[in-house]
Amino acid sequence: MFGKEFQRKYALTEQGVRNTKKGAFWTVVVNLVVMGGAGILYLVMSGFMGALTEGSPLPGATPVIGGVLLFAILSFLTHLQQYRATYGLVYNEVKATRLSLAERLRKLPLGYFGKRDLADLTETIMGDVNRMEHVWSHVLGYLYGAYISTAIIAVCLFLYDWRLAIACLWGVPVAFGLLFGSRKIAARSAERTKKAAVRVSDGIQEALENVREIRATNQEERYLQGLNQKIDAHEKTTIRGELGIGIFVNAASVIMRLGVATTILTGANLILSGKIDFMLLFLFLLVITRIYAPFDQSLALIAEMLVSKVSANRMMEIYDTPIAEGTEVFEPKGHDIVFDHVGFAYDEKDVLHDVSFTAREGEVTALVGPSGSGKSTCARLSARLWDITEGSIRVGGVDISTVDPEVLLRDYSMVFQDVVLFDDTVMENIRLGKRGATDEEVRAAAKAANCEEFVKRLPQGYDTPIGENGAKLSGGERQRISIARALLKDAPIVLLDEATASLDVENETRVQGALSRLLAGKTVLVIAHRMRTVEAADKIVVLADGQVAEEGTPTQLMAKKGLFHHMVELQRQSAAWQLG
């Protein structure tokens, strides 16, 4: 019952499965204790009926009071254990699941994130886990405990009288058969609701990220109208889904409750025919008031359990995606980067074909070419941010596909055009380059990256919060913090992706000075769109249509008058353009 299939079905951890077992166990105990209370009442009433009809002595007060006290104590203790097992333990499961999902995402190759929308992933970690938390705490333990306790009680009832037992219990399998027969309808409804919710999240996130562009183009009204339409569609989808499932849930509840009527009718018929006495019917009526109780709470939320499969599948899709793994040991002989007949496909579309070149230690190797030629892809593949589909990439003779990405990246520093900063202080953003770096080391790296000039103007200096993604800083200041971070890390391999492309002349000069200090003696791979950026490169690799079109020194390639020469001439012509 609680095997691997159960674990996958409800996206539980192994501890979560154990917690569910505990919850089901204590639910069974609680249900049996409550049924024991009905037994005490039956014995008391039997005593009174015996005194009235047969003249036997009334039951003594002491055993009755003792039985009631024992029932109260047992009921309190078992309900307390049930609460701890179903609620207390589950909240730890939620924490463990979110941490587990985050850890899994941390180890997935970056190519995975290119296929998944950020709002969709956020909805999985927050919304889907919330939905499953409700199932784990309110449904699973109660429902499976109700199955087991009802089976035990059903056996006892059949031992008393099989006719009344059938009249009492027939509605339970019929009601649950109806509910579980509606699973496909519930799943389709949940899928539509989830897609509508993701569209709303996408719309809100898009509006926040592009608020300046929306205002600049006077599109607020149109954009808000589109967002309102998405919210309305989500609301309508949710209402239709809940209404459809609600019909099945309420129909199941009504069917199950019909067991009370059939028990009374069957019992009355058996009494009139002299086959049973009134007290046996009374016993079954006591039992029937309690036998449905364990299902009442579950029925109210069982629709959530049925649609939870969508959320569980979305969570398991993250767990099922292969992570980038490898050895914890990385001991290269030098830091030459060798691309050996490398091929790479993204979403079944070929991006690189048979790419071979070497970026040598102590040299600057520039990757140039038209947009979409594969320059940025090569840089990311060289650091195993994505995994290649053909060939091999070696660093110092070591195939990087055999090395754990986190271990490999210790030898890499990256400075990209799109800088990523955190909503923290300048000091802590630079310190990301080297865990445990002292304040003096951070300031030295900042000084080398020409950061001190703008840090002095900040209200709290290095302790000034810079806002989300460095919103309080200019583009050049953000770029210099990124370079300071790389300088602090002092890794033997440096990847640059148009680190100065979006800067003004003054900032570009400052950043170039900082880059000169960063690149000294390293293996440097530079991605460039402006040809003047790579005039001093030791080697240029020209990519076109995902293949190496040319390679050599700038002088050699200019003399060859091939693609590189053509690109240089085009940029010279564009540089001479002026407003007429």
Side-chain angles (χ1 to χ4, degrees):
M1 183 185 293
F2 298 104
K4 288 292 183 182
E5 185 178 349
F6 176 88
Q7 182 178 349
R8 284 187 60 85
K9 184 177 181 180
Y10 298 109
L12 289 161
T13 64
E14 291 185 1
Q15 183 60 45
V17 174
R18 290 193 288 271
N19 293 344
T20 302
K21 290 179 181 178
K22 290 178 183 178
F25 171 78
W26 284 108
T27 298
V28 170
V29 173
V30 164
N31 292 340
L32 295 179
V33 168
V34 170
M35 201 60 70
I40 293 173
L41 181 58
Y42 169 73
L43 292 175
V44 172
M45 289 301 298
S46 294
F48 279 110
M49 288 297 294
L52 291 173
T53 59
E54 300 174 5
S56 56
L58 287 169
T62 302
V64 171
I65 295 172
V68 170
L69 287 175
L70 178 63
F71 167 75
I73 293 170
L74 285 175
S75 181
F76 172 77
L77 293 176
T78 53
H79 275 89
L80 179 62
Q81 289 299 322
Q82 182 194 34
Y83 179 86
R84 289 174 175 172
T86 52
Y87 293 103
L89 294 176
V90 162
Y91 296 128
N92 289 329
E93 174 74 2
V94 174
K95 179 181 74 173
T97 298
R98 284 211 172 99
L99 289 174
S100 176
L101 284 171
E103 180 70 8
R104 188 77 183 185
L105 288 171
R106 185 177 67 83
K107 293 182 178 180
L108 291 178
L110 285 187
Y112 173 82
F113 298 94
K115 301 174 186 177
R116 290 288 298 270
D117 184 77
L118 180 60
D120 192 27
L121 286 173
T122 304
E123 178 66 21
T124 298
I125 295 175
M126 301 305 295
D128 289 327
V129 174
N130 273 345
R131 181 181 291 276
M132 295 309 301
E133 177 269 319
H134 219 238
V135 172
W136 298 334
S137 61
H138 288 72
V139 181
L140 290 183
Y142 285 100
L143 188 61
Y144 282 88
Y147 288 157
I148 298 169
S149 59
T150 301
I152 295 171
I153 295 166
V155 170
C156 296
L157 293 180
F158 271 93
L159 292 175
Y160 271 93
D161 191 285
W162 64 271
R163 294 158 299 189
L164 285 176
I166 292 175
C168 176
L169 297 170
W170 71 270
V172 175
V174 174
F176 278 87
L178 176 65
L179 275 176
F180 284 100
S182 67
R183 281 180 296 180
K184 290 184 179 179
I185 297 174
R188 285 195 296 268
S189 173
E191 189 66 42
R192 286 193 295 268
T193 302
K194 183 60 66 178
K195 287 179 179 178
V198 170
R199 283 194 290 270
V200 171
S201 298
D202 273 337
I204 294 172
Q205 181 179 325
E206 188 178 51
L208 292 174
E209 289 178 348
N210 298 288
V211 63
R212 285 178 295 183
E213 288 75 9
I214 293 171
R215 288 184 177 180
T217 54
N218 295 320
Q219 297 295 316
E220 297 100 319
E221 186 175 345
R222 184 187 67 83
Y223 209 93
L224 288 175
Q225 183 179 0
L227 189 56
N228 282 334
Q229 289 174 351
K230 291 177 181 177
I231 294 172
D232 289 342
H234 179 223
E235 183 180 3
K236 290 177 182 176
T237 304
T238 303
I239 291 172
R240 282 196 299 267
E242 291 184 354
L243 179 62
I245 297 301
I247 291 172
F248 286 101
V249 170
N250 284 288
S253 181
V254 169
I255 289 171
M256 193 166 63
R257 291 294 179 181
L258 287 176
V260 177
T262 55
T263 302
I264 293 173
L265 291 173
T266 303
N269 184 56
L270 292 172
I271 289 173
L272 291 174
S273 61
K275 295 179 180 177
I276 64 169
D277 59 17
F278 172 76
M279 287 309 299
L280 185 59
L281 175 59
F282 177 72
L283 171 63
F284 271 82
L285 290 176
L286 281 177
V287 169
I288 205 170
T289 60
R290 297 305 312 160
I291 201 168
Y292 298 143
F295 294 114
D296 286 342
Q297 187 172 7
S298 299
L299 272 178
L301 295 166
I302 200 167
E304 191 167 0
M305 189 190 78
L306 294 177
V307 302
S308 69
K309 186 177 180 182
V310 175
S311 295
N313 286 343
R314 285 161 56 86
M315 292 163 62
M316 292 309 301
E317 190 267 338
I318 294 176
Y319 286 123
D320 291 340
T321 302
I323 61 175
E325 298 178 288
T327 178
E328 297 289 329
V329 178
F330 179 50
E331 298 177 346
K333 297 178 180 178
H335 288 88
D336 288 356
I337 302 175
V338 178
F339 277 64
D340 188 3
H341 302 287
V342 169
F344 176 70
Y346 183 77
D347 275 346
E348 299 183 357
K349 179 183 177 182
D350 288 339
V351 179
L352 298 180
H353 326 271
D354 197 31
V355 172
S356 296
F357 67 87
T358 300
R360 300 196 180 280
E361 188 171 8
E363 294 183 356
V364 175
T365 302
L367 300 178
V368 303
S371 295
S373 59
K375 303 183 296 295
S376 295
T377 301
C378 284
R380 284 158 173 75
L381 290 175
S382 70
R384 207 190 169 190
L385 300 181
W386 296 333
D387 278 330
I388 61 177
T389 51
E390 295 177 2
S392 66
I393 300 176
R394 298 186 297 277
V395 172
V398 179
D399 189 335
I400 64 172
S401 66
T402 65
V403 182
D404 183 279
E406 291 190 6
V407 175
L408 180 71
L409 287 172
R410 292 172 189 165
D411 282 18
Y412 287 74
S413 290
M414 304 180 194
V415 182
F416 292 156
Q417 182 178 352
D418 298 324
V419 179
V420 177
L421 300 177
F422 292 87
D423 189 5
D424 207 333
T425 64
V426 174
M427 178 76 72
E428 294 307 315
N429 268 282
I430 296 175
R431 206 193 308 271
L432 281 172
K434 180 182 177 182
R435 183 183 299 176
T438 64
D439 289 354
E440 289 72 21
E441 289 176 314
V442 172
R443 289 192 178 92
K447 184 176 181 180
N450 294 331
C451 292
E452 282 200 332
E453 173 263 330
F454 71 84
V455 171
K456 289 178 181 177
R457 299 197 304 267
L458 297 175
Q460 302 168 40
Y462 283 98
D463 295 322
T464 304
I466 59 175
E468 185 176 354
N469 203 24
K472 297 179 182 179
L473 304 177
S474 70
E477 291 165 350
R478 294 169 69 245
Q479 195 64 268
R480 277 180 273 170
I481 285 181
S482 177
I483 294 170
R485 187 187 290 171
L487 282 165
L488 182 63
K489 186 174 184 180
D490 194 27
I493 299 173
V494 180
L495 305 181
L496 299 176
D497 188 350
E498 280 295 353
T500 62
S502 61
L503 304 181
D504 56 59
V505 175
E506 184 178 356
N507 271 316
E508 184 177 9
T509 302
R510 291 194 178 106
V511 169
Q512 284 174 340
L515 285 174
S516 297
R517 287 183 279 275
L518 171 64
L519 305 182
K522 309 290 177 63
T523 303
V524 183
L525 204 58
V526 179
I527 301 165
H529 298 92
R530 294 187 290 188
M531 296 304 102
R532 66 182 181 84
T533 306
V534 296
E535 290 175 351
D538 297 289
K539 180 180 181 178
I540 294 175
V541 177
V542 184
L543 295 169
D545 298 322
Q547 295 178 307
V548 176
E550 302 172 341
E551 63 177 306
T553 64
T555 304
Q556 290 171 340
L557 294 182
M558 287 299 292
K560 190 176 181 181
K561 296 188 180 296
L563 181 58
F564 179 74
H565 180 271
H566 176 66
M567 294 172 68
V568 171
E569 289 301 314
L570 285 177
Q571 289 201 2
R572 284 176 180 170
Q573 293 172 20
S574 65
W577 179 84
Q578 54 184 305
L579 290 172

